Amino acid sequence: MKILVLGSGAREHAIILALRAEQTEHEIFVAPGNAGIAQDATPVSVDPLDGGAVTAFAHEHAIDLVVVGPEAPLVAGVADALRVRGIPVFGPGKAAAQLEGSKSFAKRVMDAAGVPTGRAVRAATTAEVESAFDELGAPYVVKADGLAAGKGVIVTSDRAEALAHAEQYLPAGPVLIEEFLSGPEVSLFFLSDGDTVRALSPAQDFKRALDGDAGPNTGGMGAYSPLPWLAEQFGSEQAFVEEVTRDVALPVVRQLDAEGTPFIGLLYAGLILTPAGVRVIEFNARFGDPETQIVLPRLVTPLSELLFAAASGTLEDQPEPVFSDEVAITVVLASEGYPEAPQTGRPIEGLADAAAVEGVRLVHAATASPDAPGGSLIATGGRVLNVVAVASDFRTARDRAYEAIARIRLDGSHYRTDIAARVAE
């Protein structure tokens, strides 16, 4: 197939690497991509937020499938522009993408669908925020209602800190004050064609910047898959997946379909396993980052077949996706100052040495080529790249990942040293 992937981060690189790993050879374009992605796909000068421009390129180049990576093009309605022209696109339309674009919209849909989630209060003023704090108590969970690049959420027992976070986002609109839920978190992806869903393998990511889940929230500093400890509570990973499919994914997809806004694409369920059962923390309308980087390397079923079936409304004809027994972990290399004020423009050395470690692949998130030919790649963002390691067991995978990341040199960079430590014991 001719495939156009929209986006420029590690998630998009992971999708392209999975497509490249198939036995069938595809012609893959990316808009805009990054320096690492450019080694595996053809970059094109198309604004991923411009539905007209994306549609024109797809039509002119006879693109068979468009895959929308990040959330911004979805909320901008790029998928709608493509569907109007009859171009298969993996990604929900603007209305359905509000499941991620608006926390209030997501809560309303969950309530209508009977999906288990925590209580939430919508607050538009400082006084309403204070009242919600009184009602729900500490720890305080405050979420920006719209897109915030993974930084719109704070969980803290410090009331003043929680109030300051709310007041930071109130000028843009109401915020959500939510009930604090405790327990291990799980990310579970569902492919949807608007009617049928197919689950991928569960993963766990690490949001805090520092070891021991300390420091500020980030877009994600690492992840691993599968989750062997799910069997302790649910009997098996499969039983867990079936429960979430029945109680979360299908009700939400059917509710959106009933409202005339079918969800076609990737439904990301952010879950927490509380003593009272599984609860939804949030939904995203696209592949998660960094979980995609470790779920897709374990996928045996050709990714292109799944994405095209979802985009074409034929997912019910696809069997459940098959995953290998291997495990995967990823460790994120971040620039100095991330997430508050990342330092960019610095050279990255040692990439070839890192990639030479057995079972390791490098997935680029924010890299660019130097101005002068022959120089090192440079870091252009906070999360620079992912070191992904695959092995037969977690201890080996961790050893490989940390051996590889230790070979990379980026002044001031940092990474967590405890990714998947628990399951590797």
Tab-separated table of all heavy atoms in Angstrom, residues 48-72:
chain	number	residue	atom	x	y	z
A	48	PRO	N	0.307	18.892	8.607
A	48	PRO	CA	-0.609	17.858	9.084
A	48	PRO	C	-1.891	18.400	9.702
A	48	PRO	O	-2.843	17.646	9.904
A	48	PRO	CB	0.231	17.089	10.113
A	48	PRO	CG	1.272	18.050	10.553
A	48	PRO	CD	1.579	18.908	9.358
A	49	LEU	N	-1.928	19.698	9.991
A	49	LEU	CA	-3.132	20.314	10.557
A	49	LEU	C	-4.057	20.880	9.487
A	49	LEU	O	-5.169	21.323	9.794
A	49	LEU	CB	-2.740	21.437	11.521
A	49	LEU	CG	-1.951	21.025	12.771
A	49	LEU	CD1	-1.551	22.253	13.567
A	49	LEU	CD2	-2.768	20.076	13.629
A	50	ASP	N	-3.624	20.857	8.246
A	50	ASP	CA	-4.396	21.423	7.133
A	50	ASP	C	-5.094	20.291	6.388
A	50	ASP	O	-4.480	19.605	5.563
A	50	ASP	CB	-3.457	22.197	6.201
A	50	ASP	CG	-4.190	22.934	5.089
A	50	ASP	OD1	-5.319	22.529	4.729
A	50	ASP	OD2	-3.624	23.905	4.562
A	51	GLY	N	-6.378	20.096	6.681
A	51	GLY	CA	-7.119	19.008	6.068
A	51	GLY	C	-7.147	19.086	4.559
A	51	GLY	O	-7.049	18.058	3.872
A	52	GLY	N	-7.244	20.287	4.013
A	52	GLY	CA	-7.257	20.458	2.566
A	52	GLY	C	-5.946	20.041	1.936
A	52	GLY	O	-5.920	19.359	0.906
A	53	ALA	N	-4.841	20.446	2.560
A	53	ALA	CA	-3.523	20.111	2.024
A	53	ALA	C	-3.247	18.615	2.116
A	53	ALA	O	-2.708	18.006	1.186
A	53	ALA	CB	-2.442	20.888	2.776
A	54	VAL	N	-3.631	17.999	3.238
A	54	VAL	CA	-3.427	16.553	3.405
A	54	VAL	C	-4.261	15.787	2.386
A	54	VAL	O	-3.784	14.840	1.749
A	54	VAL	CB	-3.791	16.116	4.844
A	54	VAL	CG1	-3.743	14.593	4.967
A	54	VAL	CG2	-2.840	16.748	5.863
A	55	THR	N	-5.503	16.212	2.202
A	55	THR	CA	-6.390	15.540	1.244
A	55	THR	C	-5.866	15.682	-0.178
A	55	THR	O	-5.876	14.710	-0.953
A	55	THR	CB	-7.809	16.119	1.349
A	55	THR	OG1	-8.284	15.953	2.686
A	55	THR	CG2	-8.764	15.418	0.397
A	56	ALA	N	-5.393	16.863	-0.519
A	56	ALA	CA	-4.861	17.090	-1.869
A	56	ALA	C	-3.650	16.196	-2.125
A	56	ALA	O	-3.528	15.588	-3.204
A	56	ALA	CB	-4.484	18.558	-2.042
A	57	PHE	N	-2.758	16.093	-1.142
A	57	PHE	CA	-1.581	15.230	-1.316
A	57	PHE	C	-2.000	13.776	-1.466
A	57	PHE	O	-1.494	13.055	-2.348
A	57	PHE	CB	-0.631	15.370	-0.128
A	57	PHE	CG	0.580	14.483	-0.220
A	57	PHE	CD1	1.735	14.928	-0.848
A	57	PHE	CD2	0.562	13.195	0.314
A	57	PHE	CE1	2.845	14.100	-0.954
A	57	PHE	CE2	1.669	12.358	0.205
A	57	PHE	CZ	2.815	12.819	-0.425
A	58	ALA	N	-2.922	13.325	-0.607
A	58	ALA	CA	-3.358	11.935	-0.654
A	58	ALA	C	-4.021	11.613	-1.991
A	58	ALA	O	-3.809	10.538	-2.565
A	58	ALA	CB	-4.321	11.652	0.497
A	59	HIS	N	-4.804	12.544	-2.504
A	59	HIS	CA	-5.485	12.327	-3.785
A	59	HIS	C	-4.477	12.314	-4.929
A	59	HIS	O	-4.508	11.431	-5.805
A	59	HIS	CB	-6.529	13.423	-4.000
A	59	HIS	CG	-7.330	13.251	-5.251
A	59	HIS	ND1	-8.274	12.267	-5.395
A	59	HIS	CD2	-7.320	13.938	-6.424
A	59	HIS	CE1	-8.816	12.352	-6.607
A	59	HIS	NE2	-8.249	13.350	-7.245
A	60	GLU	N	-3.558	13.274	-4.922
A	60	GLU	CA	-2.586	13.402	-6.008
A	60	GLU	C	-1.649	12.198	-6.086
A	60	GLU	O	-1.249	11.766	-7.180
A	60	GLU	CB	-1.765	14.682	-5.813
A	60	GLU	CG	-0.717	14.917	-6.891
A	60	GLU	CD	0.103	16.176	-6.630
A	60	GLU	OE1	-0.309	16.992	-5.769
A	60	GLU	OE2	1.157	16.345	-7.278
A	61	HIS	N	-1.307	11.625	-4.929
A	61	HIS	CA	-0.341	10.533	-4.895
A	61	HIS	C	-1.000	9.164	-4.722
A	61	HIS	O	-0.314	8.169	-4.444
A	61	HIS	CB	0.681	10.764	-3.776
A	61	HIS	CG	1.580	11.934	-4.031
A	61	HIS	ND1	1.199	13.236	-3.769
A	61	HIS	CD2	2.832	12.003	-4.555
A	61	HIS	CE1	2.195	14.049	-4.095
A	61	HIS	NE2	3.192	13.326	-4.574
A	62	ALA	N	-2.317	9.100	-4.875
A	62	ALA	CA	-3.063	7.828	-4.800
A	62	ALA	C	-2.761	7.072	-3.506
A	62	ALA	O	-2.487	5.865	-3.511
A	62	ALA	CB	-2.744	6.961	-6.021
A	63	ILE	N	-2.811	7.799	-2.401
A	63	ILE	CA	-2.551	7.192	-1.093
A	63	ILE	C	-3.688	6.232	-0.742
A	63	ILE	O	-4.870	6.578	-0.848
A	63	ILE	CB	-2.414	8.277	-0.006
A	63	ILE	CG1	-1.208	9.187	-0.295
A	63	ILE	CG2	-2.312	7.653	1.375
A	63	ILE	CD1	0.131	8.500	-0.234
A	64	ASP	N	-3.325	5.026	-0.301
A	64	ASP	CA	-4.330	4.014	0.054
A	64	ASP	C	-4.837	4.158	1.478
A	64	ASP	O	-5.957	3.743	1.787
A	64	ASP	CB	-3.735	2.608	-0.116
A	64	ASP	CG	-3.318	2.330	-1.547
A	64	ASP	OD1	-4.188	2.380	-2.433
A	64	ASP	OD2	-2.118	2.076	-1.774
A	65	LEU	N	-3.998	4.710	2.364
A	65	LEU	CA	-4.366	4.815	3.776
A	65	LEU	C	-3.611	5.972	4.406
A	65	LEU	O	-2.398	6.095	4.228
A	65	LEU	CB	-4.015	3.516	4.516
A	65	LEU	CG	-4.207	3.506	6.033
A	65	LEU	CD1	-5.678	3.625	6.400
A	65	LEU	CD2	-3.608	2.238	6.635
A	66	VAL	N	-4.344	6.801	5.155
A	66	VAL	CA	-3.728	7.862	5.947
A	66	VAL	C	-3.849	7.479	7.415
A	66	VAL	O	-4.936	7.111	7.880
A	66	VAL	CB	-4.396	9.229	5.699
A	66	VAL	CG1	-3.758	10.306	6.590
A	66	VAL	CG2	-4.287	9.620	4.238
A	67	VAL	N	-2.743	7.538	8.145
A	67	VAL	CA	-2.727	7.234	9.573
A	67	VAL	C	-2.405	8.524	10.319
A	67	VAL	O	-1.334	9.101	10.132
A	67	VAL	CB	-1.679	6.153	9.907
A	67	VAL	CG1	-1.696	5.834	11.397
A	67	VAL	CG2	-1.921	4.894	9.082
A	68	VAL	N	-3.343	8.974	11.143
A	68	VAL	CA	-3.138	10.219	11.903
A	68	VAL	C	-2.523	9.855	13.244
A	68	VAL	O	-3.133	9.149	14.050
A	68	VAL	CB	-4.454	10.976	12.100
A	68	VAL	CG1	-4.189	12.317	12.786
A	68	VAL	CG2	-5.154	11.191	10.766
A	69	GLY	N	-1.302	10.335	13.495
A	69	GLY	CA	-0.609	9.997	14.726
A	69	GLY	C	-1.021	10.831	15.920
A	69	GLY	O	-1.617	10.319	16.864
A	70	PRO	N	-0.738	12.134	15.935
A	70	PRO	CA	-1.008	12.961	17.121
A	70	PRO	C	-2.458	13.436	17.195
A	70	PRO	O	-3.237	13.303	16.252
A	70	PRO	CB	-0.050	14.137	16.944
A	70	PRO	CG	0.140	14.242	15.469
A	70	PRO	CD	0.003	12.859	14.904
A	71	GLU	N	-2.778	14.025	18.354
A	71	GLU	CA	-4.156	14.429	18.605
A	71	GLU	C	-4.558	15.711	17.894
A	71	GLU	O	-5.730	15.886	17.521
A	71	GLU	CB	-4.392	14.582	20.106
A	71	GLU	CG	-3.476	15.571	20.830
A	71	GLU	CD	-2.178	14.960	21.319
A	71	GLU	OE1	-1.702	13.980	20.726
A	71	GLU	OE2	-1.633	15.484	22.310
A	72	ALA	N	-3.625	16.643	17.715
A	72	ALA	CA	-3.992	17.947	17.174
A	72	ALA	C	-4.674	17.872	15.798
A	72	ALA	O	-5.696	18.538	15.579
A	72	ALA	CB	-2.771	18.870	17.128
